[in-house]
Each structure stands twice: as structure tokens, then as C-alpha cells.
Amino acid sequence: MQCAKGIGVIGAMDVEIDLLRQVMREQGSCEEVQAGPYTFYRGTMEGTPIVVVQCQIGMVNAAACTQRLIDEFGVAAVVNTGVAGSLNADINIGDVVVATDAVNHYMDVGNLGYAPGQTPGLSTLSFPCDETLRQAALSAAAELQVTTWEGRVASSDLFVREDADKQRIVSQFGASCCEMEGAAIAQVCWLNQIPCAILRAISDKADGSAEVDYPTFEAAAAKTCANLTRLMIGSFSGFSM
Ligand code: ADE
């Protein structure tokens, strides 16, 4: 992996990037760069150049921020860290999902013959995550001793909290977890031909229990994922930057 300009890291919420900013500051390397509506945190993490940014919740916010990150900083790769709802009874709160790929589960132009999730004009249904980054994430997860799954991430502007929505996403896409930014970030990376990774820790079960579970487990899950991101990024410190 060539990381000449570093790795970009995007989280939607403060709680998802707090730890990363804190570590950069502790390591004496956190320059704030304002560009448009975003504050980018540029520095190094465990010796690897990175740029961290909060995109805010949702697909449009995620897409706009990813493009800005790429344009302003020319990052070599993008990592998305955050929380997600589980779509699989075996994937529990606190577990981690390392995405194989991401799909926009609300994209539906079925009336014109397109498959669920397929955006007309694009040659792919789902947006793949980079193999090298995925392997680095899996190694970091093993080191952290967190229960980790590989699978598809399904994204849209919906906070999934009803069984019917959950079942539809599972049956149409076979996704492992759902969230609200990953597919937008992966799509922008795909359009720019930049490798990306999506790492998510589970905060809820994306059903009727989410209302209670999400606020209870959000902070711990976000921290687990940020820690994983930190460790994974550190594994690229020996590569030519
Ligand atoms: N992020 C965390 N939990 C989620 C859910 N249930 N739906 C969408 N995004 C989420």
C-alpha cells in the first residue's frame, strides 16, 4: 500500500473519532485544517500519516466529506470507523464487522429493471472494500481480541429499528450490519479509485430493542472501533509514505 499522503479516517459522530483525535494530540501530532464546513485533523497515528474528519450522520454528509477529504489531502486510502446495527442474530453488541463490501439498501430502480441496490449508470451493485486494508483490520482485531465478523454493510439514511426493514435488508442483500454512511463513503472511493475500508462495532440489533440499546452501547462500541482503527493504521507505519 502506497500511503504517500496518508490514510483518511472518517467517522460520522464526535464519539466515533474522539479517541483518534486524542491519541494524535498525545503523540504531539494534530494540526487542525479548516476546509469548507469541515475541520480536518492532520498528523500521525502510531507513525502513519493520517487525516481524521467527522462527516456528520447520513449518506449525503458522508459522500460530500469523503470527496473533500480526497480532493484536499490526496489521501491514499479511506477508513470509515463507527457503530452499526446487527442484522444477524449471531453478531452481538460489542462485536466488530470488517466490511467485505457496502451497498445502498434504499437504492431501488426496480421499475426499470435494475437489481435492488443498483445505481443506474454504475457498473457495480455493491462497493468493494480493499483486501489489504481488510486483512490489516482483521489482524488488528485479532490483537485486540474482539469478536470479529466479515460481511456486507448495508447503508441508507434510515436508522433501522423495525423488524420489517431489518428482514428486507437481510433478504435482499444478505448484509451483516446496517449503518448510515459506509456505502456512500465506499461509493465515492470507488468513483475515485481509492481503496477503502469500513470498520463497524455493533451498538444495537436494528430492531425494537435499538431504542434502548443504542444509547446504552453507542459510546463503548464507538471506542472499540476507534481503537481497532488506531491499531490497524499503526500497521502501515513501515510503508513508504
Ligand atoms: N447505526 C447504529 N445502529 C444503527 C441502526 N440500527 N440503523 C442504522 N444505523 C445504525
Side-chain angles (χ1 to χ4, degrees):
M1 171 93 36
Q2 284 291 310
C3 296
K5 289 171 183 160
I7 296 177
V9 180
I10 302 179
M13 300 179 291
D14 254 329
V15 70
E16 291 171 326
I17 62 160
D18 259 350
L19 179 114
L20 300 172
R21 280 188 298 224
Q22 195 184 315
V23 170
M24 289 168 80
R25 287 185 181 125
E26 280 166 14
Q27 296 183 352
S29 159
C30 188
E31 177 198 2
E32 292 188 22
V33 181
Q34 198 67 38
Y38 308 107
T39 305
F40 292 93
Y41 302 88
R42 177 164 62 186
T44 58
M45 166 87 57
E46 317 294 358
T48 303
I50 64 168
V51 181
V52 175
V53 65
Q54 179 188 355
C55 69
Q56 305 291 354
I57 292 170
M59 301 288 272
V60 173
N61 280 330
C65 184
T66 305
Q67 191 63 58
R68 192 78 189 231
L69 174 67
I70 292 167
D71 290 345
E72 292 281 340
F73 298 94
V75 290
V78 174
V79 177
N80 174 219
T81 178
V83 299
S86 170
L87 297 174
N88 176 329
D90 293 333
I91 305 180
N92 286 313
I93 290 172
D95 291 358
V96 159
V97 175
V98 174
T100 52
D101 60 339
V103 65
N104 177 349
H105 70 77
Y106 250 26
M107 180 58 71
D108 178 358
V109 195
N111 56 312
L112 297 182
Y114 292 94
Q118 183 159 22
T119 303
L122 300 188
S123 61
T124 186
L125 185 148
S126 76
F127 303 99
C129 294
D130 179 72
E131 181 66 25
T132 303
L133 294 173
R134 283 172 50 199
Q135 291 311 321
L138 292 172
S139 300
E143 210 174 308
L144 273 184
Q145 299 190 315
V146 59
T147 304
T148 303
W149 306 80
E150 291 183 87
R152 176 175 283 175
V153 168
S155 319
S156 84
D157 286 323
L158 177 71
F159 187 98
V160 181
R161 56 192 179 277
E162 286 181 14
D163 264 329
D165 288 318
K166 181 173 176 174
Q167 294 323 320
R168 177 190 70 82
I169 298 166
V170 170
S171 68
Q172 284 189 322
F173 301 104
S176 298
C177 70
C178 56
E179 37 80 310
M180 302 174 72
E181 297 84 21
I185 293 168
Q187 180 171 342
V188 172
C189 287
W190 183 83
L191 290 168
N192 287 273
Q193 298 188 293
I194 288 177
C196 92
I198 303 170
L199 317 180
R200 293 278 174 165
I202 301 301
S203 56
D204 59 85
K205 292 298 195 105
D207 56 19
S209 64
E211 216 170 298
V212 170
D213 285 346
Y214 181 82
T216 308
F217 298 111
E218 177 206 52
K223 194 171 173 190
T224 296
C225 208
N227 245 322
L228 173 63
T229 302
R230 168 193 183 173
L231 208 56
M232 172 210 178
I233 282 178
S235 72
F236 290 103
S237 64
F239 288 72
S240 81
M241 297 290 159

